[in-house]
Amino acid sequence: MLWATPRKIYKNFLVRFFHVGRLQTYSCCCSFISLVGVVVKPESKLWKSIKVNMPGVFFTRLESWASPGVPDVYGCKDGIMFWLELKTSTKVNKAKLSAFQKSWHFSHARQGGRSFIMHQILEERLICLFPSSIVVSIAGLSPQHASKTWAHPASQAAWTEMLDYILHSPLPPFSASSKSL
């Protein structure tokens, strides 16, 4: 038989496409495909927690490989726009920002923009929030430099407090000398 059914072609394509060593597929009734061996990164889990626990916020997750330094998440609620850089690490001082990220956050804050770094420390079970204006002055993202910290997993009240802080925290003023940097 020269012609295969569309169902067989689809199944054959998926098996060939996904069978690359670390990813494997199997089908159940040829309509449900499950991937085995796919690992969800901790940063992706943090992103999912944010979406679930901050309802009513318009979020867009960006893949910023084309423009280095741009934060991971754009958010808007009640006309207030903000950016979040998501970081996760197992130990306290392990997460660091790249030079591009530091430059973007500092320049954005200098123009009065609202952006934060949200750092989840897995070993300490903490979520720390840093205003973007301090990223140039700190070497690492440790809880002692954070504006706010919460225990993780966070309660719904803690997520509400995080969102309120992101939306309504006062932005630090910049002096004339820092605006010229």
Side-chain angles (χ1 to χ4, degrees):
M1 177 169 144
L2 280 175
W3 296 97
T5 64
R7 200 172 177 174
K8 284 185 179 180
I9 293 170
Y10 178 70
K11 182 179 176 186
N12 208 7
F13 167 75
L14 288 175
V15 170
R16 286 184 182 165
F17 183 76
F18 287 113
H19 192 69
V20 292
R22 60 180 193 272
L23 297 178
Q24 299 171 0
T25 64
Y26 64 92
S27 63
C28 174
C29 302
C30 296
S31 62
F32 175 74
I33 302 298
S34 173
L35 299 178
V36 178
V38 175
V39 178
V40 178
K41 294 180 181 179
E43 193 174 291
S44 295
K45 289 180 182 178
L46 177 59
W47 164 235
K48 286 178 184 175
S49 294
I50 290 168
K51 286 192 308 185
V52 167
N53 293 298
M54 293 185 177
V57 178
F58 171 78
F59 282 118
T60 300
R61 177 96 190 249
L62 302 171
E63 296 298 331
S64 58
W65 54 266
S67 183
V70 176
D72 301 317
V73 177
Y74 166 80
C76 184
K77 181 170 171 72
D78 301 329
I80 302 171
M81 297 170 278
F82 61 91
W83 292 86
L84 290 174
E85 177 66 43
L86 305 180
K87 294 288 182 186
T88 58
S89 66
T90 52
K91 300 199 187 271
V92 171
N93 284 326
K94 195 161 185 184
K96 300 203 186 298
L97 296 173
S98 72
F100 291 113
Q101 290 170 325
K102 286 182 179 184
S103 175
W104 190 98
H105 279 282
F106 186 75
S107 298
H108 188 254
R110 198 173 68 203
Q111 296 299 320
R114 186 171 290 278
S115 58
F116 299 87
I117 296 91
M118 185 179 281
H119 180 205
Q120 179 184 17
I121 306 167
L122 301 172
E123 192 174 86
E124 301 288 322
R125 305 190 112 192
L126 286 175
I127 295 178
C128 304
L129 206 56
F130 302 85
S132 60
S133 58
I134 69 164
V135 298
V136 174
S137 62
I138 59 174
L141 300 173
S142 67
Q144 67 200 32
H145 297 114
S147 296
K148 293 273 194 175
T149 59
W150 294 270
H152 187 68
S155 66
Q156 188 56 50
W159 283 104
T160 302
E161 185 182 343
M162 279 184 234
L163 181 59
D164 187 59
Y165 182 78
I166 290 168
L167 294 174
H168 303 293
S169 64
L171 298 173
F174 277 90
S175 65
S177 62
S178 68
K179 282 194 173 190
S180 63
L181 290 177

